[in-house]
Amino acid sequence: MPSSLLLEVPALADFNRAWTELTEWLSLLDRVIKSQRVMVGDLEDINEMIIKQKATLQDLEQRRPQLEELITAAQNLKNKTSNQEARTIITDRIERIQNQWDEVQEHLQNRRQQLNEMLKDSTQWLEAKEEAEQVLGQARAKLESWKEGPYIMDTIQKKITETKQLAKDLRQWQINIDVANDLALKLLRDYSSDDTRKVHMITENINASWANIHKRVSEREAALEETHRLLQQFPLDLEKFLAWLTEAETTANVLQDATYKERLLEDSKGVRELMKQWQDLQGEIEAHTDIYHNLDENGQKILRSLEGSDEAALLQRRLDNMNFKWSELRKKSLNIRSHLEASSDQWKRLHLSLQELLVWLQLKDDELSRQAPIGGDFPAVQKQNDVHRAFKRELKTKEPVIMSTLETVRIFLTEQPLEGLEKLYQEPRELPPEERAQNVTRLLRKQAEEVNTEWEKLNLHSADWQRKIDEALERLQELQEATDELDLKLRQAEVIKGSWQPVGDLLIDSLQDHLEKVKALRGEIAPLKENVSHVNDLARQLTTLGIQLSPYNLSTLEDLNTRWKLLQVAVEDRVRQLHEAHRDFGPASQHFLSTSVQGPWERAISPNKVPYYINHETQTTCWDHPKMTELYQSLADLNNVRFSAYRTAMKLRRLQKALCLDLLSLSAACDALDQHNLKQNDQPMDILQIINCLTTIYDRLEQEHNNLVNVPLCVDMCLNWLLNVYDTGRTGRIRVLSFKTGIISLCKAHLEDKYRYLFKQVASSTGFCDQRRLGLLLHDSIQIPRQLGEVASFGGSNIEPSVRSCFQFANNKPEIEAALFLDWMRLEPQSMVWLPVLHRVAAAETAKHQAKCNICKECPIIGFRYRSLKHFNYDICQSCFFSGRVAKGHKMHYPMVEYCTPTTSGEDVRDFAKVLKNKFRTKRYFAKHPRMGYLPVQTVLEGDNMETPVTLINFWPVDSAPASSPQLSHDDTHSRIEHYASRLAEMENSNGSYLNDSISPNESIDDEHLLIQHYCQSLNQDSPLSQPRSPAQILISLESEERGELERILADLEEENRNLQAEYDRLKQQHEHKGLSPLPSPPEMMPTSPQSPRDAELIAEAKLLRQHKGRLEARMQILEDHNKQLESQLHRLRQLLEQPQAEAKVNGTTVSSPSTSLQRSDSSQPMLLRVVGSQTSESMGEEDLLSPPQDTSTGLEEVMEQLNNSFPSSRGHNVGSLFHMADDLGRAMESLVSVMTDEEGAE
C-alpha cells in the first residue's frame, strides 16, 4: 500500500497491519497443511494428524471473528473515505483475504476428509493384511508339518489328498491375498503424496511368501504324483522284467548247451547260426539294460522308505533275485560268445578285447576327471550327481563284460598248453617255440592285469567322487536352508526398518515410545548374529573341502552380510538419533524453547542449565528474555501512578497477562504441581524441573486457549521471571515453596483461596504454622514486589515485623491456624497489601461506569471510578486520580469512594447521604477519625533474625496492642536510631496532610499523603457531628483548626529534639566512661587471686563490652538499610515541601516519588483505603556510609547544634519557616546517622 495513501488515510495503517498479519498467518497455515505427510497404513499416525487438523480447523474458526472485524473495519473505512484508490485497495484486499480464507478452509476440510478416508482404507487394509498373514501362517504350518514317509500306496495317497486339499485351500485363500493386494494398491494409488513405504514393503513381503508357498505346494504335488505312479507301475514292471529274465535265461541255457557240443567249431555254418542267435539274445539284454537300472534304482528308493518293515524284506529278496538273474544272464551271454569265438586266432581276439577295455577304461577315467570340480551351488552339484549316477550305471553295465573277459583270459591261459601257443604264435620265426609261447602268455597276462588294475582304480575314483558329491550336496543344502532362513528374518527386520519415519517428523511425546520399539527390535535381531556366523562358517567349511562357491552363492553371502551390517548400523543410528532427539527435544530438554526468540536473538544454556540470550547483532548477552526486557521497559510507563500499591498492582497485572497466568485456574495449577510430585516445599527445584512443570501448565492452557498461549514463549518468560524473583544469582535452583508462591500469587483464583493454599504449604500436618514457617512464606511473597523495585512501600524486605504483627493479632500464640491467618490477611497487612490490590485492579479492568470524569471529561469511565463524598455529582477516573489531577473547587483531601463495579441505586442513595453529612463535617473530624486501608507493621528490625531460636513475641509485652511502639532499652543506641526512624515515618504519615492545610486552595500541592489521609475515609462512620450555626463559624473553625495542627507539629518536633539531646548526653557520658576505663591487656585479664573483686568486675565488664560490640557489628548492615529508608523519607518530605506553588494548578499533574495508596472493595460497601510506606533507593546513603570517620565529640556537637538551630524558641506560623525547619531536620538526621555509624566502626 503506498505510503502517501497511508498518510492521507491514517486508519488504513491499522487495517493494513491487521490484513498483513492475518494473510501471513493464513499462508503459513496453508504451507503447514501441504507439508504435513503421514505414514499410510499407520492408524496412530493418521489419528494424530486428524487431531491436529481438527485443532487447526478450530483455530481457524476461532479467528473468524478477526476476519469479520477486518471486513467490518474495511466497510467502515470505505464509508468514511472518499479516496477512490483507497476504496479500490480495500475492496481488493478484502476479496483476496476472503478467497484465501476460503481456500485454506477448503484445504483443511479436504485434507481432513482425505485423512478420514485414509483412516478407513488403512483400517480395511490392515484387517485384510491380518487375514492374509493368518492364511500364510496356516499354509506355512501345514507345509512344515509334512514329513517324508514310507513309499506305501496308502500313505502316498493320503499325502496326495492332503496336498490337493491344501492346493484347494490356497485357491480359496487367494481371495484374501487378492483383497489385501487390491486395498494396498488403492492406498498406493490414492495416497501417493503421503508416505506409502510401509504398505509397499508389507505387500511385497506377503506376495513373495505367497508365491513361495505356491511353488512348494506345486512341487510337492508333482513329486507325490510321480511317486504314486511309481508305486503303481513298479510291481508291474518288476513282474514283467522278471518274466522276461526267465525267458531270456531259458534261451541262454539252450544256446549254451548248443554251443558246448563236440565238433561244433568245425561246423562253420552251425557256428554262424549260433552266433546269430547269440546276437539276438545280446540285443534283448542291451535293450532291457535301462529297464533293469530303473527298476533297481526305484526299488532301492522304495526300499529305503520301507526300512525296517516286512514289505522291505520282501522287496529286498525280489530285488536280489532280479539282480542275480540279470548278472547270471549276462555271464552266460559272454561265455557263449567266448566259446563261439574260440579258434586258432582266439589269443588275438583276447588281445584285442583287452586292448579295447583298456582304451574304454582310460576314456571313462578321463570322463570322470572332467566332472571335477564340485559345483558351487546346490543345482550344479545336483546336476553333477545325476551325471555321475549315469556314469555309475555305465560302469555297472560294463562290469560283466570286463569280468567275463578277464575270466576268459584266465581260462585260456590255463587250458592251452605251450605247444598250442607255439602254433598260435607264428611270428617272428627266428624265436624258438618255447620263447614264443612265453611271450604270448606274458602279453595276455600283462594286459589282463592292466585291465583289472584300471577297473579297480576307476571304481575307487568313482566312489570317491560320489562321496564328495554327497558331502557337497549335504553342505550346500544346509547352506541353502541357512541363507533362506537368514534372508527371511532380515526381510522381516527390514520391513520394520522401512516403516520408520524420519526422526525429525516424530512427535516429541512419542520419542520415548519409538526409542523403546527400536531397542526391542535391536534385541530381536541380536540372535541374527549367530545366523550370520553360521552361514559364514558353512561357506568356510565348503572352501576347506575344495568347493569353490558359485558367483550366485558368493553374491548371496555378500548381500546377506552387507544387509546385516547395514541393519545393525541403521538400528544403532536410529537409537542414537532418538537418544539425541529425546535429549535435545524431549521433555527433559530445553530445545523446544529455542523458538521463543527470533533473530538476531538466540537462546543459549549455561552449564547449570540456566538460559541466557545472545544478540548476534550487537554481540552481547543478557539473562533476560528480549520480550521480558521489553516488558520491563513498558512497566516504566506506570511510574507516573502516584500510589505505590496501585502502581505495583498494575505492573503485576501487566506481568500476569504477559505470562498468561491470568488464564491459569488454581485447580489447574494444583493438578500440575501434584502431577510433578512437588510436595517437599523445602526441596530445591532445578531448571529442568521448573521447565517441565511450566510446560505441563501451559500445555493445558494451550488446549483451553489455543490462540492466546504460545507455549515456548510463555514457559521461557515465566522461567525468566521466576529466576529474576527468586534466583537473582542464577544458581539454577529455587525452592519448591518459592515456585508455588510465585505461580499461585499470579494465577486466576479467589483471593482467600490463594491465602488458604499458601498457608497450607507452610502449615504442619496438624494445620498450625509457627513463626519460622510463616516467615518463609512472607519472605517469598515480598520478593515479588521487591523485584519490581517497590519493596520499600510495603515495609521493606524485612518480614519479621509482619510475622510479629500476625502473631500479636493471634494473642501471641506459639502457632496459628488457618482461620486466624485469614482474619489477619483480611486486614491487608502492609507487606501483603499488593495482592488484594492486584485482584481489585483485575476486577476493575472491564468495569464501565455511566459517569463523566470532572477533570478529563471521559465518559463513560472505564476502570476505577472515584466519587466525591464532599461534592454532589463529582467523579474522577482512575487516570486522573492516579496522576493526582484535580478540578477547581475540589481539594485533594476531600473524602472519596472508589468503585470497581458499576454502582447500584442503593449505593447512589447511600453516597448522597454521606455527601450531605460530610458537608457539615470539619477537618478535625477527619483528622480524629482516620482509617487506614491496610494493617501497618513496624518496619524496623528489632531483635535477632528469625533463624535464631529466640521467640519473637518476647520482644513485645503481652498486653501491648499491635500498633503500639516496642519497649526499647536506652542502652541500645541503634535501637534508638531505628525507633526514631520509625517515629519519623509515622509523623510523616500523620502530619503530611496537615502541612498543606495551611495553604490556600489555589496553592495546594499534589501531596500523596494528603490524598491518602483525606480520600481513604470510611463510608459508614456514625459518630455525630456538631452542626455549624453559620458559614462564618465554619470558616473560623477551619482557620483555628489549621493553626492548632501546625502548633502541634512543631511541638512534636521540639519533643524529638529534646529526646535527641538527652540521648546525645547519655552517649557522651558513656564514651567518657569508656575512655577512663580502658580494657586491660590479656595478661591483666587473668585473675591473680580469688580475693580480687576489682579484676573480676573488669573481666565481666570486658565480656559485656565484647558482647555489645558483637551485637553492634551484627546489626551494622541492618542499620545501613534503614538508614537508606530514613533518607528516602526525608528526601520525599523535602520534595513535597519545596515544590513551587505555581505547579499546584487545578488541572495540573505532578509526578511524585513512588508511595502507596490503595482501596478495598467489600461486597456490601466499597470504600477507599490507604497504605503508607516508603521506597528505598539502593544508592542512597552510600556517601554517608563511605565517608571517612570524623571525630566523635565534634560530630555529635555539630549534630546537636543543627538540631537546636532547627527548632528556635520563637515559634512562627508561616509556611516558609516550616520548610526550612524540615530541611534542617533532614540534614541533622543524616549527620546523626553518619556519626553513629562512624562510632560503631571506631568501637
Side-chain angles (χ1 to χ4, degrees):
M1 188 171 289
S3 57
S4 58
L5 193 60
L6 294 176
L7 294 175
E8 183 177 349
V9 186
L12 278 177
D14 295 336
F15 169 78
N16 187 50
R17 183 171 57 256
W19 180 86
T20 303
E21 179 184 352
L22 187 57
T23 302
E24 291 177 352
W25 182 79
L26 289 173
S27 301
L28 176 62
L29 186 60
D30 195 31
R31 288 195 299 270
V32 169
I33 295 170
K34 293 178 180 178
S35 64
Q36 289 176 338
R37 300 174 74 240
V38 296
M39 178 67 72
V40 181
D42 190 340
L43 301 184
E44 183 179 355
D45 193 19
I46 297 173
N47 281 319
E48 290 177 357
M49 186 59 66
I50 289 176
I51 293 173
K52 286 184 179 179
Q53 294 293 326
K54 183 178 179 181
T56 306
L57 194 59
Q58 290 178 352
D59 192 12
L60 185 68
E61 290 301 324
Q62 289 177 356
R63 283 184 176 253
R64 180 173 288 278
Q66 185 177 350
L67 174 66
E68 295 173 353
E69 291 176 1
L70 190 64
I71 295 174
T72 304
Q75 294 296 334
N76 294 336
L77 284 175
K78 288 171 63 178
N79 295 334
K80 291 180 181 179
T81 182
S82 59
N83 191 313
Q84 188 61 36
E85 182 182 1
R87 294 169 63 89
T88 303
I89 291 176
I90 292 172
T91 303
D92 177 65
R93 293 203 168 186
I94 288 300
E95 290 178 354
R96 284 166 56 189
I97 200 168
Q98 282 180 330
N99 293 334
Q100 186 179 8
W101 183 280
D102 294 339
E103 289 177 1
V104 172
Q105 190 175 28
E106 183 180 2
H107 289 166
L108 270 173
Q109 292 174 348
N110 292 340
R111 179 59 172 168
R112 185 178 178 186
Q113 182 179 358
Q114 184 188 39
L115 289 172
N116 288 326
E117 294 175 355
M118 184 191 298
L119 181 64
K120 180 181 177 182
D121 294 341
S122 297
T123 303
Q124 294 177 353
W125 173 73
L126 288 173
E127 292 174 353
K129 179 183 76 72
E130 291 294 331
E131 294 178 359
E133 289 178 346
Q134 290 179 2
V135 166
L136 289 173
Q138 294 175 9
R140 289 195 191 99
K142 288 190 176 183
L143 287 175
E144 294 298 332
S145 65
W146 286 347
K147 296 180 180 179
E148 293 294 334
Y151 279 24
I152 303 175
M153 186 61 68
D154 295 339
T155 305
I156 297 300
Q157 187 64 43
K158 183 179 179 181
K159 289 183 178 180
I160 291 174
T161 304
E162 290 177 355
T163 305
K164 288 185 177 181
Q165 181 62 39
L166 179 58
K168 182 179 179 181
D169 292 340
L170 289 179
R171 288 191 293 273
Q172 293 178 353
W173 292 340
Q174 182 67 43
I175 299 174
N176 301 88
I177 304 297
D178 293 339
V179 169
N181 287 333
D182 292 341
L183 291 174
L185 183 62
K186 184 177 186 300
L187 291 175
L188 295 174
R189 182 183 64 249
D190 295 347
Y191 310 111
S192 57
S193 58
D194 288 289
D195 193 350
T196 58
R197 292 176 297 171
K198 179 179 179 180
V199 178
H200 183 71
M201 295 190 68
I202 292 178
T203 303
E204 279 189 350
N205 192 23
I206 290 175
N207 289 329
S209 301
W210 183 252
N212 186 33
I213 290 173
H214 260 292
K215 181 181 177 182
R216 292 178 61 185
V217 170
S218 299
E219 291 176 351
R220 180 175 178 81
E221 186 176 6
L224 289 173
E225 290 290 346
E226 181 65 26
T227 304
H228 184 262
R229 285 193 299 269
L230 173 64
L231 291 177
Q232 284 181 335
Q233 193 67 26
F234 179 76
L236 300 177
D237 292 343
L238 182 59
E239 292 296 333
K240 184 177 179 181
F241 184 73
L242 289 174
W244 175 84
L245 276 177
T246 303
E247 294 177 0
E249 188 176 12
T250 302
T251 303
N253 290 334
V254 173
L255 188 59
Q256 186 177 16
D257 292 341
T259 303
Y260 280 92
K261 288 181 180 181
E262 295 182 0
R263 296 186 177 274
L264 177 64
L265 296 177
E266 297 177 358
D267 186 5
S268 60
K269 184 178 179 180
V271 170
R272 285 195 298 273
E273 183 66 28
L274 292 175
M275 183 61 72
K276 183 179 179 182
Q277 293 179 8
W278 173 84
Q279 288 177 352
D280 293 338
L281 177 62
Q282 186 64 31
E284 290 185 8
I285 291 173
E286 291 177 357
H288 284 80
T289 301
D290 289 339
I291 297 174
Y292 163 74
H293 286 300
N294 288 332
L295 287 173
D296 183 58
E297 184 177 348
N298 292 333
Q300 294 297 328
K301 187 185 298 183
I302 296 172
L303 191 62
R304 286 193 297 270
S305 68
L306 297 174
E307 186 176 1
S309 63
D310 296 338
E311 294 180 356
L314 178 61
L315 180 60
Q316 181 67 51
R317 287 195 298 270
R318 298 189 68 183
L319 289 176
D320 292 342
N321 184 32
M322 180 188 71
N323 290 329
F324 177 76
K325 289 182 177 182
W326 176 259
S327 179
E328 289 297 322
L329 178 63
R330 288 181 63 84
K331 287 180 180 181
K332 289 180 181 180
S333 174
L334 291 175
N335 289 333
I336 292 170
R337 177 188 174 187
S338 300
H339 196 72
L340 289 174
E341 290 178 351
S343 63
S344 59
D345 296 332
Q346 184 177 6
W347 76 273
K348 291 183 179 180
R349 288 193 296 273
L350 291 175
H351 175 65
L352 291 175
S353 296
L354 291 174
Q355 285 182 339
E356 289 176 358
L357 289 176
L358 285 173
V359 172
W360 182 85
L361 289 172
Q362 186 62 41
L363 290 175
K364 289 302 175 183
D365 189 64
D366 293 341
E367 181 183 344
L368 185 59
S369 299
R370 285 195 299 270
Q371 290 184 17
I374 295 293
D377 52 36
F378 188 82
V381 178
Q382 185 65 44
K383 184 177 180 180
Q384 287 179 321
N385 187 42
D386 295 338
V387 171
H388 190 254
R389 286 168 59 189
F391 180 81
K392 288 197 300 181
R393 284 197 297 268
E394 290 184 21
L395 292 183
K396 195 169 184 180
T397 303
K398 198 69 172 179
E399 182 180 6
V401 177
I402 294 173
M403 293 295 108
S404 176
T405 302
L406 292 176
E407 182 66 20
T408 303
V409 171
R410 186 185 65 77
I411 294 173
F412 175 78
L413 292 176
T414 303
E415 293 180 351
Q416 294 293 334
L418 292 176
E419 293 82 2
L421 290 176
E422 291 175 4
K423 296 178 181 179
L424 295 174
Y425 192 76
Q426 303 292 332
E427 296 178 358
R429 303 215 177 246
E430 63 274 7
L431 293 176
E434 295 82 2
E435 189 175 352
R436 286 198 300 270
Q438 291 175 358
N439 288 339
V440 170
T441 303
R442 284 196 300 269
L443 178 62
L444 292 176
R445 185 174 288 113
K446 180 181 179 182
Q447 287 182 334
E449 290 176 354
E450 288 180 356
V451 169
N452 188 47
T453 302
E454 291 296 329
W455 173 250
E456 292 178 354
K457 181 181 177 181
L458 182 61
N459 279 299
L460 291 175
H461 192 183
S462 175
D464 182 63
W465 180 245
Q466 185 63 49
R467 180 184 57 79
K468 290 182 178 180
I469 287 177
D470 293 340
E471 187 175 5
L473 280 174
E474 182 181 357
R475 297 296 176 85
L476 285 171
Q477 186 173 6
E478 187 177 358
L479 177 63
Q480 183 69 36
E481 292 174 355
T483 53
D484 290 344
E485 181 183 1
L486 179 60
D487 178 68
L488 177 62
K489 292 181 178 180
L490 286 175
R491 284 173 62 86
Q492 292 174 351
E494 287 167 348
V495 168
I496 298 175
K497 186 190 76 172
S499 64
W500 288 345
Q501 292 179 272
V503 176
D505 295 342
L506 299 178
L507 296 176
I508 294 177
D509 295 338
S510 65
L511 287 176
Q512 186 63 36
D513 294 337
H514 284 278
L515 184 59
E516 295 299 330
K517 291 179 181 178
V518 176
K519 287 183 177 179
L521 176 63
R522 182 170 60 180
E524 292 174 1
I525 68 173
L528 291 183
K529 184 177 181 180
E530 298 180 1
N531 296 74
V532 174
S533 300
H534 179 59
V535 169
N536 292 329
D537 290 340
L538 291 175
R540 281 193 295 271
Q541 291 174 11
L542 289 170
T543 304
T544 57
L545 293 174
I547 301 175
Q548 185 65 34
L549 293 176
S550 65
Y552 172 77
N553 274 344
L554 290 175
S555 63
T556 301
L557 286 173
E558 184 179 359
D559 178 63
L560 291 174
N561 282 281
T562 303
R563 288 163 61 190
W564 166 243
K565 291 178 181 178
L566 291 176
L567 181 62
Q568 282 183 308
V569 171
V571 171
E572 293 302 325
D573 286 347
R574 182 75 171 181
V575 171
R576 178 181 53 80
Q577 291 173 5
L578 288 173
H579 269 303
E580 293 176 353
H582 191 266
R583 182 195 66 210
D584 298 336
F585 301 95
S589 71
Q590 302 186 37
H591 190 277
F592 76 101
L593 298 177
S594 60
T595 59
S596 67
V597 294
Q598 305 294 329
W601 288 94
E602 178 189 356
R603 189 181 189 274
I605 302 175
S606 63
N608 59 353
K609 304 298 183 181
V610 176
Y612 64 95
Y613 304 91
I614 305 172
N615 189 331
H616 293 288
E617 192 173 277
T618 60
Q619 296 184 353
T620 57
T621 61
C622 62
W623 289 116
D624 283 332
H625 191 285
K627 294 292 185 181
M628 185 64 74
T629 303
E630 294 177 5
L631 178 63
Y632 286 153
Q633 292 173 353
S634 68
L635 294 182
D637 300 339
L638 299 174
N639 287 336
N640 58 355
V641 177
R642 301 183 66 231
F643 311 118
S644 298
Y646 287 99
R647 181 172 62 250
T648 304
M650 294 177 74
K651 289 180 179 180
L652 288 175
R653 180 60 176 170
R654 187 174 294 183
L655 180 67
Q656 183 187 33
K657 287 184 174 181
L659 301 181
C660 294
L661 292 178
D662 59 321
L663 307 175
L664 177 64
S665 64
L666 181 60
S667 61
C670 294
D671 291 343
L673 294 172
D674 293 340
Q675 179 179 342
H676 291 270
N677 199 26
L678 299 179
K679 297 179 180 179
Q680 299 295 328
N681 292 321
D682 293 333
Q683 293 296 323
M685 296 177 65
D686 58 24
I687 298 299
L688 293 181
Q689 289 176 306
I690 299 173
I691 290 177
N692 290 340
C693 189
L694 291 177
T695 303
T696 302
I697 290 174
Y698 284 109
D699 281 343
R700 181 168 178 176
L701 290 182
E702 185 187 27
Q703 295 175 3
E704 299 173 357
H705 312 279
N706 187 27
N707 57 334
L708 298 178
V709 179
N710 182 345
V711 175
L713 179 60
C714 290
V715 170
D716 218 9
M717 288 191 64
C718 191
L719 172 65
N720 194 170
W721 175 70
L722 288 171
L723 294 178
N724 286 345
V725 175
Y726 298 111
D727 186 21
T728 56
R730 290 305 195 269
T731 62
R733 290 180 177 273
I734 66 173
R735 289 186 306 149
V736 173
L737 179 61
S738 302
F739 179 80
K740 291 181 178 179
T741 303
I743 296 298
I744 299 302
S745 296
L746 297 189
C747 75
K748 178 181 67 175
H750 192 274
L751 186 60
E752 291 196 358
D753 291 340
K754 290 185 180 181
Y755 290 159
R756 290 190 184 93
Y757 180 85
L758 293 176
F759 181 82
K760 182 180 178 181
Q761 301 309 306
V762 295
S764 62
S765 58
T766 59
F768 289 88
C769 177
D770 58 13
Q771 296 184 24
R772 180 182 176 278
R773 290 179 175 273
L774 180 62
L776 293 175
L777 174 60
L778 296 180
H779 176 269
D780 284 343
S781 299
I782 201 63
Q783 302 307 310
I784 296 176
R786 179 179 177 274
Q787 193 267 333
L788 297 175
E790 303 284 352
V791 67
S793 304
F794 305 99
S797 57
N798 178 27
I799 46 82
E800 184 177 353
S802 299
V803 176
R804 185 165 54 245
S805 172
C806 180
F807 277 84
Q808 288 172 351
F809 178 79
N811 297 323
N812 292 328
K813 294 180 180 179
E815 292 182 333
I816 61 171
E817 57 186 1
L820 288 174
F821 176 75
L822 289 177
D823 292 339
W824 180 68
M825 290 297 288
R826 290 189 188 101
L827 298 177
E828 299 184 2
Q830 183 175 353
S831 58
M832 292 295 293
V833 71
W834 53 271
L835 187 54
V837 177
L838 170 63
H839 278 248
R840 289 194 286 274
V841 168
E845 280 182 343
T846 57
K848 182 182 292 187
H849 308 274
Q850 297 302 321
K852 181 179 180 180
C853 178
N854 287 59
I855 298 176
C856 67
K857 311 304 180 184
E858 178 188 4
C859 182
I861 294 177
I862 305 298
F864 287 114
R865 171 190 179 185
Y866 296 91
R867 170 184 282 175
S868 175
L869 295 180
K870 186 69 174 177
H871 294 88
F872 292 108
N873 197 24
Y874 187 91
D875 295 284
I876 302 178
C877 66
Q878 69 176 26
S879 177
C880 296
F881 180 76
F882 290 160
S883 60
R885 299 173 65 189
V886 295
K888 185 176 181 181
H890 187 273
K891 291 186 179 182
M892 299 292 291
H893 60 267
Y894 286 165
M896 303 194 76
V897 63
E898 176 188 85
Y899 288 100
C900 58
T901 57
T903 59
T904 62
S905 57
E907 292 170 341
D908 293 337
V909 172
R910 182 194 62 202
D911 292 345
F912 180 80
K914 289 185 176 295
V915 171
L916 287 178
K917 290 182 180 180
N918 291 334
K919 282 289 186 179
F920 301 100
R921 288 175 175 168
T922 63
K923 285 188 178 181
R924 183 180 296 276
Y925 173 82
F926 295 113
K928 291 181 178 179
H929 299 84
R931 281 193 65 179
M932 303 180 71
Y934 68 100
L935 177 63
V937 296
Q938 179 65 37
T939 59
V940 179
L941 179 63
E942 298 165 357
D944 296 331
N945 291 331
M946 295 197 64
E947 304 301 329
T948 63
V950 181
T951 305
L952 294 176
I953 58 173
N954 294 336
F955 288 96
W956 291 75
V958 177
D959 55 349
S960 61
S964 63
S965 302
Q967 306 299 317
L968 299 174
S969 171
H970 291 281
D971 295 334
D972 192 345
T973 305
H974 301 287
S975 298
R976 293 292 300 163
I977 296 175
E978 292 169 357
H979 177 56
Y980 181 79
S982 175
R983 292 287 298 120
L984 184 61
E986 293 174 1
M987 290 172 59
E988 177 189 359
N989 295 338
S990 60
N991 299 336
S993 60
Y994 304 130
L995 295 177
N996 287 321
D997 289 347
S998 60
I999 304 174
S1000 63
N1002 295 331
E1003 296 174 350
S1004 63
I1005 299 175
D1006 295 335
D1007 185 5
E1008 166 187 359
H1009 302 288
L1010 181 68
L1011 294 176
I1012 296 173
Q1013 180 68 28
H1014 293 288
Y1015 284 178
C1016 305
Q1017 301 293 330
S1018 172
L1019 298 180
N1020 52 0
Q1021 296 175 356
D1022 298 325
S1023 301
L1025 286 175
S1026 300
Q1027 299 295 332
R1029 291 186 297 269
S1030 66
Q1033 290 179 348
I1034 294 175
L1035 292 176
I1036 293 172
S1037 175
L1038 289 175
E1039 290 177 358
S1040 61
E1041 187 175 332
E1042 290 175 357
R1043 280 196 299 272
E1045 295 298 337
L1046 184 59
E1047 291 175 358
R1048 187 165 60 254
I1049 292 171
L1050 294 177
D1052 291 340
L1053 291 176
E1054 288 179 351
E1055 180 64 24
E1056 294 298 332
N1057 184 17
R1058 287 191 293 272
N1059 292 338
L1060 287 174
Q1061 180 65 44
E1063 181 66 17
Y1064 167 72
D1065 294 338
R1066 188 188 64 78
L1067 290 174
K1068 186 174 180 181
Q1069 294 175 2
Q1070 183 178 356
H1071 279 279
E1072 290 176 355
H1073 177 71
K1074 290 180 181 179
L1076 292 175
S1077 301
L1079 289 175
S1081 60
E1084 296 174 352
M1085 293 175 65
M1086 300 298 296
T1088 57
S1089 66
Q1091 292 82 18
S1092 55
R1094 177 59 179 169
D1095 292 339
E1097 291 177 2
L1098 290 175
I1099 292 173
E1101 182 180 359
K1103 183 177 181 181
L1104 291 174
L1105 289 175
R1106 283 197 302 272
Q1107 292 176 352
H1108 181 68
K1109 180 181 179 182
R1111 287 195 300 271
L1112 293 179
E1113 291 174 350
R1115 296 179 183 174
M1116 176 65 73
Q1117 186 62 38
I1118 299 171
L1119 179 62
E1120 292 177 358
D1121 291 341
H1122 290 85
N1123 179 22
K1124 293 177 183 179
Q1125 292 185 5
L1126 179 61
E1127 290 180 354
S1128 175
Q1129 293 171 349
L1130 293 174
H1131 177 68
R1132 184 167 60 255
L1133 181 60
R1134 284 199 301 271
Q1135 280 186 331
L1136 295 174
L1137 294 178
E1138 293 177 357
Q1139 283 178 332
Q1141 297 179 3
E1143 292 182 3
K1145 295 181 179 180
V1146 174
N1147 294 328
T1149 59
T1150 304
V1151 180
S1152 65
S1153 62
S1155 58
T1156 309
S1157 178
L1158 58 98
Q1159 91 291 351
R1160 178 177 178 181
S1161 226
D1162 293 335
S1163 58
S1164 59
Q1165 293 180 339
M1167 62 184 65
L1168 193 64
L1169 308 179
R1170 58 182 290 236
V1171 174
V1172 179
S1174 62
Q1175 183 175 11
T1176 305
S1177 171
E1178 294 183 359
S1179 60
M1180 291 181 181
E1182 288 185 359
E1183 295 180 358
D1184 295 336
L1185 293 174
L1186 299 177
S1187 60
Q1190 301 175 357
D1191 183 77
T1192 305
S1193 59
T1194 305
L1196 289 175
E1197 291 176 358
E1198 292 177 356
V1199 169
M1200 297 312 301
E1201 183 179 355
Q1202 291 180 6
L1203 291 174
N1204 291 330
N1205 293 334
S1206 299
F1207 302 98
S1209 56
S1210 58
R1211 187 178 307 168
H1213 297 284
N1214 56 27
V1215 178
S1217 299
L1218 185 59
F1219 289 165
H1220 290 295
M1221 285 189 290
D1223 190 27
D1224 293 339
L1225 176 62
R1227 285 194 294 271
M1229 286 305 303
E1230 291 176 2
S1231 301
L1232 177 60
V1233 173
S1234 177
V1235 169
M1236 293 302 176
T1237 305
D1238 294 339
E1239 286 183 7
E1240 292 178 6
E1243 291 179 1

